[in-house]
Amino acid sequence: MLKLAVLSLLNGISVAALYFIVASGFTVTFGLMRTINLAYGSLFLIGGYVGYQVGDLTRNWYLAMIAGSAIAGLSGAVLQWGVLDRLRGQDMRQALVTIGLSIVAADVLLAVFGGLTYQFTPPDWMQATVSLGVFGGYPAFRLLLIALSLFIGVFIWAGLTCTRVGLAIRAGVDDREMLSAIGVNPSRLFVIVATCGSALAGLAGVIGGTALSISPGEDSRYLLASLVVTIVGGMGSIAGAAVGALLVGLLEQVGLLYFPNYSIVAVYLVMVGVLALRPQGLVRGTA
Amino acid sequence: MTICASHFGNRPMTWAMLAAGMTLMAHDAVAQSGDTIRIGTMFVTEGALASLGQEANRGLEIALAEFDGTIAGKKIVVFKEGTNATPDLAVQKARKLIEQDKVDVIVGPLSGGEGLAVKEYAKTVPSKTFVNGAAASQDTTMRDPAPNLFSFRVDGAQMTAGLGKYVYDEKKYRNVAIVAEDYAYPYTQVAGFVSEFCGRGGKIADRYWVPLGTKDYSSVIARIPSDVDAVYVVVGGADAVNFLSQYYQTGGKAPLIGGSITVDSDVLNSKGPFRSKIIGILSSSNSADESEAPEWQAFAKTYRARFPDGLPAPSSLAAAYYISMKAMLLGLQAARGDVSGNQDVLKEALRTLKFDTPTGPISLDQNRQAIADNFLMEVTSRPDGSLYNKVVKVVPQVNATLNMPREPYIAMGAPSRTNPPCRQVGKVL
């Protein structure tokens, strides 16, 4: 039974790592810039599908990862520059426009890529099984996933706290006018943030498509996961996203193990609980 | 043939387009009132079963093409609705088809849970005629049926006919664990498998029910006891791809037995490294990719010609919607296109309809449920590396109670997470 507990703990953490990568991009755009981008899930799917095509053509998983991030980042930048920036501060309009766009995107993707399921083929060494002694084997890719999410987390946190760009972003969130007064163009800055956030979504599309798979409907699934993770963890906080992702991932896996029929409900119960008792989220945002 | 399609329904934009389309349609209907037969159809276009819906659409298109758009001099108008496999949306779409599009008959829905919900809805519009699309939950017709619902689609239990016996007698499996999705269709498949397998004397180690759309099965896989002879897996579409790859990634050893959608051609044609691992999985279904039957060969040929972007061979869902739509069209033809009043002529025609389908002859029993052949198959690799299901055995003319005594079989009650228990049903014929 200990073996089972350890395995499900690892599973929970690796799912959490995936959620964290998706949600970190979301929390940066949603939490820091206060732009509501409900087409975020579509960026995930676009990254995944385009990444797959590139990976299939070139037989190179790394190129797939780069292409997936790039196309999602680009789409995100266009979205921010062309649509969201013009609707700054109008939450409802941003929400409606992006929901509309996500619906269009979902249908276009279904038309282009069909309803079949895609799964990436990673390099051989990633497909290996790592021996965990008495606990049996564990897929190497999942361990890599955990490492990658840690790296991304530290990277974003350092970027926001220690660099001038990070400083400007945080300043722009607090007082946009003052920031432009000291010579920074907030619109351009926010496009950069949106690009990075969206690229993370695309990256997650490729990673998620390798660890699990991608198929129609994944867009809303990951958007929902990002929303829950961000709300539970606290908007705009990388540490919060990590805590939220861990909580959701572990709850999902442990739930699947011990009360499979109610594991989905459990996640939302936690969200309701957090909203009732600590509406700002478990970790206070930096902005 | 006019096709007023809202392929990917339940979305504001589609609604707007549909409204525009409806205006045109209304025009059309006024001009030719009485000269048209309006057929509504629905299938899943969103979520984990979306790829099945794509196949369903291909199947029904082939059936429609055979009739060239007219029946008994009346023009056929088809209204398509997309669902997401949830019962409530299925009922919403059925109601929309009947009330707004004023369809005369409905062919659908696709998924088991939807079937049960649409059955209840069908009872509220007794004058209309419903032909089940591919919903394979047992109680679509077995218990408390709707008199105006006809199912030329076998249910999930019928699709397992022969499998339990085969793995017991030929593969010598005695102790099997079950992993299945938590809704009506897998309940029904498991019920069929359990009643046969346990009827021979087999034991079920445990049944694990996972939510539809689960992405990560590794914790469930870790729970499967290591001493089982095999695992019977009933998950479909993207979920199957995830389960199968994770099962082998985490070092699953016991051989797998597939449900009818676990290793169907949707899954076999999905892209990913899991494909190399699944050769040899045994499964059962109401259709076989590479059946030798001339009717199937002809159907597959039409399918490939019409849908070059489709699968290498039509899936069981394409066959199911082809058969369901064709049954409806044959019924309408026998009724000389009469859909007036209570549609009694049409209903009688459907009740007595018997025709040769790509999967063998199909007729209906007293509950208007299909009696059809069943296929046991094994995943096999073609020379070009693609995968297909090779027929191992054909079980002829399986009825709703798997040819076991009807009364005790029905008395077992509706399939659920725990029902039927693992024991012999009445006496196996």
Side-chain angles (χ1 to χ4, degrees), chain A:
Chain A
M1 274 305 100
L2 179 66
K3 177 183 167 188
L4 197 57
V6 169
L7 279 182
S8 69
L9 195 70
L10 266 177
N11 290 334
I13 296 174
S14 63
V15 172
L18 181 58
Y19 283 163
F20 173 75
I21 299 176
V22 190
S24 59
F26 190 71
T27 201
V28 166
T29 49
F30 183 41
L32 285 181
M33 307 193 303
R34 296 279 184 271
T35 43
I36 299 179
N37 180 4
L38 296 182
Y40 191 74
S42 312
L43 297 170
F44 172 91
L45 212 49
I46 290 172
Y49 278 131
V50 172
Y52 182 85
Q53 293 298 318
V54 171
D56 199 34
L57 281 175
T58 60
R59 305 257 153 224
N60 187 329
W61 186 79
Y62 303 100
L63 278 181
M65 204 164 78
I66 292 167
S69 318
I71 189 80
L74 192 70
S75 316
V78 172
L79 189 64
Q80 172 69 25
W81 171 78
V83 181
L84 292 173
D85 196 49
R86 285 156 211 262
L87 299 172
R88 195 177 342 112
Q90 307 175 52
D91 296 354
M92 190 51 89
R93 287 193 180 176
Q94 286 184 339
L96 287 175
V97 166
T98 49
I99 287 178
L101 285 172
S102 72
I103 291 167
V104 175
D107 276 1
V108 169
L109 289 174
L110 182 61
V112 174
F113 296 99
L116 287 178
T117 307
Y118 292 79
Q119 199 179 50
F120 291 79
T121 312
D124 287 337
W125 66 272
M126 289 187 194
Q127 294 188 50
T129 306
V130 178
S131 169
L132 298 179
V134 287
F135 300 120
Y138 203 71
F141 189 80
R142 297 204 162 206
L143 297 174
L144 268 173
L145 177 58
I146 298 172
L148 180 70
S149 70
L150 281 175
F151 173 76
I152 289 176
V154 171
F155 187 78
I156 299 178
W157 176 81
L160 280 176
T161 351
C162 311
T163 67
R164 284 189 65 86
V165 179
L167 197 69
I169 292 169
R170 285 181 292 138
V173 171
D174 285 337
D175 195 331
R176 212 182 149 99
E177 279 71 32
M178 188 53 86
L179 185 66
S180 47
I182 59 170
V184 180
N185 179 349
S187 290
R188 203 168 67 197
L189 188 68
F190 278 24
V191 168
I192 295 174
V193 178
T195 310
C196 297
S198 310
L200 279 173
L203 177 70
V206 176
I207 306 262
T210 314
L212 304 170
S213 63
I214 49 169
S215 56
E218 296 288 82
D219 47 351
S220 42
R221 212 180 94 83
Y222 280 96
L223 173 69
L224 204 61
S226 307
L227 274 170
V228 174
V229 165
T230 308
I231 289 169
V232 169
M235 290 205 297
S237 160
I238 288 300
V243 171
L246 264 178
L247 206 59
V248 173
L250 284 174
L251 212 60
E252 246 186 45
Q253 285 300 307
V254 174
L256 197 59
L257 193 57
Y258 297 107
F259 40 97
N261 307 322
Y262 308 104
S263 61
I264 296 177
V265 183
V267 171
Y268 294 107
L269 280 181
V270 167
M271 188 171 85
V272 169
V274 168
L275 280 176
L277 299 173
R278 210 180 142 79
Q280 71 274 37
L282 293 175
V283 181
R284 186 180 282 280
T286 50

Side-chain angles (χ1 to χ4, degrees), chain B residues 209-383:
Chain B
W209 301 101
V210 292
L212 182 64
T214 297
K215 293 296 154 200
D216 195 338
Y217 293 90
S218 24
S219 295
V220 176
I221 294 167
R223 263 188 90 180
I224 298 172
S226 52
D227 60 345
V228 295
D229 298 325
V231 186
Y232 183 50
V233 185
V234 191
V235 295
D239 294 359
V241 171
N242 287 330
F243 179 90
L244 294 169
S245 32
Q246 288 159 17
Y247 184 76
Y248 295 109
Q249 266 174 17
T250 51
K253 295 279 187 299
L256 299 182
I257 310 167
S260 300
I261 52 170
T262 310
V263 285
D264 69 359
S265 48
D266 272 314
V267 175
L268 297 186
N269 289 294
S270 283
K271 320 275 192 290
F274 75 98
R275 299 170 77 258
S276 59
K277 306 283 177 100
I278 62 176
I279 292 169
I281 293 185
L282 189 72
S283 70
S284 66
S285 185
N286 58 317
S287 78
D289 304 350
E290 304 277 319
S291 163
E292 302 285 326
E295 289 89 354
W296 178 268
Q297 290 292 332
F299 175 61
K301 199 175 156 207
T302 317
Y303 173 95
R304 287 189 201 105
R306 198 179 155 104
F307 302 105
D309 60 336
L311 305 173
S315 71
S316 74
L317 262 294
Y321 262 75
Y322 168 78
I323 291 167
S324 299
M325 181 56 90
K326 182 152 181 186
M328 175 63 92
L329 294 168
L330 285 173
L332 285 166
Q333 198 171 46
R336 307 217 49 76
D338 182 6
V339 285
S340 59
N342 267 331
Q343 305 182 341
D344 287 331
V345 191
L346 170 62
K347 285 170 187 160
E348 188 51 35
L350 286 171
R351 204 169 289 133
T352 53
L353 182 63
K354 175 167 186 163
F355 67 116
D356 284 322
T357 73
T359 59
I362 293 187
S363 57
L364 299 186
D365 68 9
Q366 66 263 49
N367 276 25
R368 297 162 300 286
Q369 171 65 29
I371 301 172
D373 292 352
N374 201 43
F375 301 84
L376 302 189
M377 299 165 293
E378 212 171 74
V379 178
T380 310
S381 170
R382 291 192 185 92

